[in-house]
């Protein structure tokens, strides 16, 4: 949509104010002290301290962690629109193997998705907006619990954090994209994500006489194969809908015993919002009928996840202008729709928004994916993200190119 530029960055600027050093310090502190979803108590306190030090007045969310605050417009500003900038603050329940000197000090918990970087970037944007007040009010959202289903954003929206806001932006670290390039696109950019659990029950019995009981193991296998067939034939293949099973268990431990229980867990993802909204009855009905063929009773857990993030075209154009201001035209790349889920979708269900992919790969180390114990973020990207947030907040959507 916006064209993929070269990955080499020719417009990096020095930072005479010392913001770059502060960004690194903020990020490393949060990185070393990660907290899981809805447990980000100390992270919330730390962010609040930094914001108060800038003269802002943060407010905690009623859910107990995370916070938000407003940056007032410059004196005499006439713009009536309000912009929100969002960062997620939670960590993952996984160990870190990055080898960094500031690695996680909490066993089994790490920022292996880059949320520490997102938080530091938004703090940096806050500092820039305070130092040079924007032409419109700006709301800063430090959101908890992105890594849960259906996501902390849903609760934040229910608390009214986007009431009166006209548009919103978020960015996410992309470890497969070089520092100096940002993926920008209009339209869908992530997928929905529902969690499916299937619990089957029977009387159990001897494997020599499966006809005298109900075979839970065979039923589970048929559900694995059969539900995929139903999805393939009942849902439009153009929707990018994918059903994948991640766990299958049965209660037996002997080869000649049919267990009386078993379970399946998997995910149903779709690039189509309508499929996200309507798939549950189809899934439940298909599982129950497949189980019934073998006389097995099935209980279905369908945990509705986030809808797809659909980037507003006008917001994407604004974001591309912001990226070009910070990194030059070569910094504006494209971004394909991911099959991963992102709770930023709860904001874009309410107001126009845009979700960017920020390059954090140094181009030299081996690439590692998000949610990988060896994930590494090139800290040069922190200043880029902060400046993009700052520029987006200042752009007039009615001014057009070259304003």
């Amino acid at each position: 949509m916006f064209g993929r530029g070269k990955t080499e960055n020719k417009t990096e600027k020095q930072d005479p104010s010392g913001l770059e050093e502060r960004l690194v310090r903020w990020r490393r502190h949060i990185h070393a002290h990660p907290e899981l979803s809805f447990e980000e108590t100390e992270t919330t306190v730390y962010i609040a301290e930094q914001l108060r030090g800038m003269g802002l007045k943060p407010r905690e969310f009623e859910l107990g962690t995370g916070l938000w605050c407003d940056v007032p417009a410059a004196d005499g500003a006439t713009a009536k629109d309000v912009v929100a900038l969002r960062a997620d603050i939670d960590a993952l329940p996984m160990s870190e193997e990055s080898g960094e000197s500031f690695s996680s000090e909490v066993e089994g918990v790490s920022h292996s998705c880059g949320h520490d970087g997102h938080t530091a970037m938004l703090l940096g944007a806050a500092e820039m907006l305070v130092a040079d007040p924007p032409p419109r009010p700006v709301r800063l959202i430090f959101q908890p619990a992105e890594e849960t289903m259906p996501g902390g954003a849903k609760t934040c929206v229910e608390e009214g954090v986007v009431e009166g806001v006209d548009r919103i932006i978020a960015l996410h670290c992309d470890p497969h994209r070089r520092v100096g390039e940002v993926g920008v696109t209009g339209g869908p950019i992530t997928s929905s994500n529902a969690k499916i659990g299937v619990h089957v029950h029977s009387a159990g019995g001897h494997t020599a006489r499966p006809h005298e009981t109900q075979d839970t193991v065979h039923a589970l296998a048929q559900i694995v194969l059969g539900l995929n067939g139903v999805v393939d034939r009942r849902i439009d293949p153009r929707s990018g809908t994918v059903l994948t099973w991640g766990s299958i268990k049965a209660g037996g431990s002997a080869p000649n015993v049919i267990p009386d229980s078993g379970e399946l867990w998997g995910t149903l993802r779709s690039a189509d919002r309508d499929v996200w909204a309507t798939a549950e009855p189809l899934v439940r009905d298909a599982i129950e009928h497949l189980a019934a063929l073998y006389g097995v009773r099935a209980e279905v857990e369908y945990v509705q996840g986030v809808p797809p993030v659909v980037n507003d075209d006008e917001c994407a154009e604004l974001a591309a202008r912001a990226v070009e201001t910070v990194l030059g035209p070569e910094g504006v790349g494209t971004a394909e729709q991911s099959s991963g889920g992102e709770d930023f979708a709860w904001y874009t269900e309410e107001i126009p928004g845009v979700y960017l992919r920020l390059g954090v790969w140094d181009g030299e180390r081996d690439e590692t994916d998000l949610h990988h114990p060896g994930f590494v973020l090139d800290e040069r990207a922190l200043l880029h993200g902060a400046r993009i947030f700052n520029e987006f907040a200042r752009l007039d959507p009615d001014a057009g190119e070259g304003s």
Side-chain angles (χ1 to χ4, degrees):
M1 178 178 178
F2 304 103
R4 190 179 184 90
K6 298 178 181 178
T7 57
E8 181 185 358
N9 174 26
K10 299 179 180 178
T11 61
E12 287 194 43
K13 304 174 183 178
Q14 298 299 313
D15 180 32
S17 70
L19 176 58
E20 192 163 13
E21 288 78 11
R22 287 189 290 281
L23 285 163
V24 170
R25 185 173 70 248
W26 292 328
R27 184 257 168 160
R28 291 188 178 186
H29 174 87
I30 295 168
H31 188 91
H33 304 91
E35 295 177 298
L36 296 174
S37 299
F38 295 121
E39 298 177 11
E40 312 96 330
T41 305
E42 294 303 319
T43 304
T44 299
V45 170
Y46 181 78
I47 295 167
E49 289 174 349
Q50 310 314 309
L51 294 172
R52 291 192 187 99
M54 299 174 197
L56 296 171
K57 299 177 181 178
R59 298 173 55 181
E60 286 191 20
F61 287 109
E62 294 176 8
L63 57 83
T65 58
L67 49 83
W68 61 275
C69 69
D70 289 334
V71 180
D75 291 342
T78 58
K80 302 299 183 183
D81 52 332
V82 179
V83 177
L85 316 177
R86 175 269 203 172
D88 35 17
I89 69 173
D90 56 330
L92 288 160
M94 60 184 296
S95 297
E96 179 174 354
E97 299 174 6
S98 68
E100 300 281 25
S101 61
F102 50 88
S103 290
S104 172
E105 297 177 8
V106 182
E107 184 176 355
V109 183
S110 67
H111 273 291
S112 297
C113 200
H115 294 185
D116 54 330
H118 304 166
T119 302
M121 294 173 208
L122 189 51
L123 285 172
E127 185 173 298
M128 285 187 277
L129 291 165
V130 169
D132 181 13
R136 59 183 51 78
V138 178
R139 179 158 296 173
L140 311 175
I141 302 173
F142 294 86
Q143 179 214 301
E146 188 277 330
E147 297 291 356
T148 61
M149 290 178 61
K154 190 173 191 296
T155 306
C156 295
V157 168
E158 290 169 352
E159 288 191 26
V161 75
V162 294
E163 290 179 6
V165 174
D166 294 278
R167 59 189 174 278
I168 188 169
I169 185 173
L171 49 79
H172 201 293
C173 296
D174 185 344
H176 301 296
R177 193 182 298 267
R178 289 177 184 266
V179 172
E181 183 187 299
V182 181
V184 188
T185 190
I189 191 168
T190 70
S191 296
S192 66
N193 181 14
K195 181 170 67 174
I196 302 172
V198 183
H199 306 271
V200 296
H201 307 275
S202 77
H206 199 294
T207 59
R209 293 176 291 278
H211 59 289
E212 294 181 359
T213 184
Q214 303 86 35
D215 191 339
T216 51
V217 174
H218 188 78
L220 287 172
Q222 294 305 312
I223 292 169
V224 167
L225 298 173
L227 185 59
N228 281 81
V230 172
V231 168
D232 288 346
R233 291 298 177 269
R234 296 287 301 279
I235 294 177
D236 189 334
R238 295 171 296 180
S239 67
T241 303
V242 179
L243 171 66
T244 307
W245 298 105
S247 174
I248 180 169
K249 301 176 184 178
S253 59
N256 61 345
V257 175
I258 296 174
D260 61 4
S261 64
E263 64 180 37
L264 280 170
W265 288 98
T267 60
L268 182 70
R269 302 171 185 270
S270 181
D272 186 281
R273 190 191 179 282
D274 289 340
V275 173
W276 165 79
T278 62
E280 181 177 353
L282 171 64
V283 169
R284 287 185 176 276
D285 185 65
I287 291 172
E288 290 169 1
H289 278 79
L290 287 165
L293 291 173
Y294 304 96
V296 170
R297 178 169 57 89
E299 298 172 355
V300 181
E301 290 186 51
Y302 192 100
V303 182
Q304 180 67 293
V306 296
V309 174
V310 180
N311 282 344
D312 176 76
D313 286 338
E314 291 184 5
C315 287
E317 292 285 356
L318 279 177
R321 287 165 54 192
V323 172
E324 184 168 350
T325 299
V326 174
L327 297 170
E330 66 272 24
V332 183
T334 57
E336 296 180 354
Q337 184 173 15
S338 166
S339 58
E342 162 62 62
D343 76 350
F344 185 70
W346 295 118
Y347 300 110
T348 57
E349 286 281 295
E350 301 294 324
I351 59 174
V354 62
Y355 182 77
L356 308 182
R357 301 200 183 281
L358 178 75
V360 299
W361 179 46
D362 65 5
E364 297 177 1
R365 298 184 192 225
D366 291 339
E367 294 182 49
T368 56
D369 207 348
L370 299 169
H371 292 213
H372 187 282
F375 170 79
V376 174
L377 181 159
D378 186 328
E379 291 177 331
R380 291 178 300 169
L382 299 174
L383 189 57
H384 297 336
R387 284 176 167 155
I388 291 165
F389 273 142
N390 176 57
E391 290 295 333
F392 184 86
R394 298 178 186 280
L395 288 173
D396 182 351
D398 299 319
E401 293 285 349
S403 63

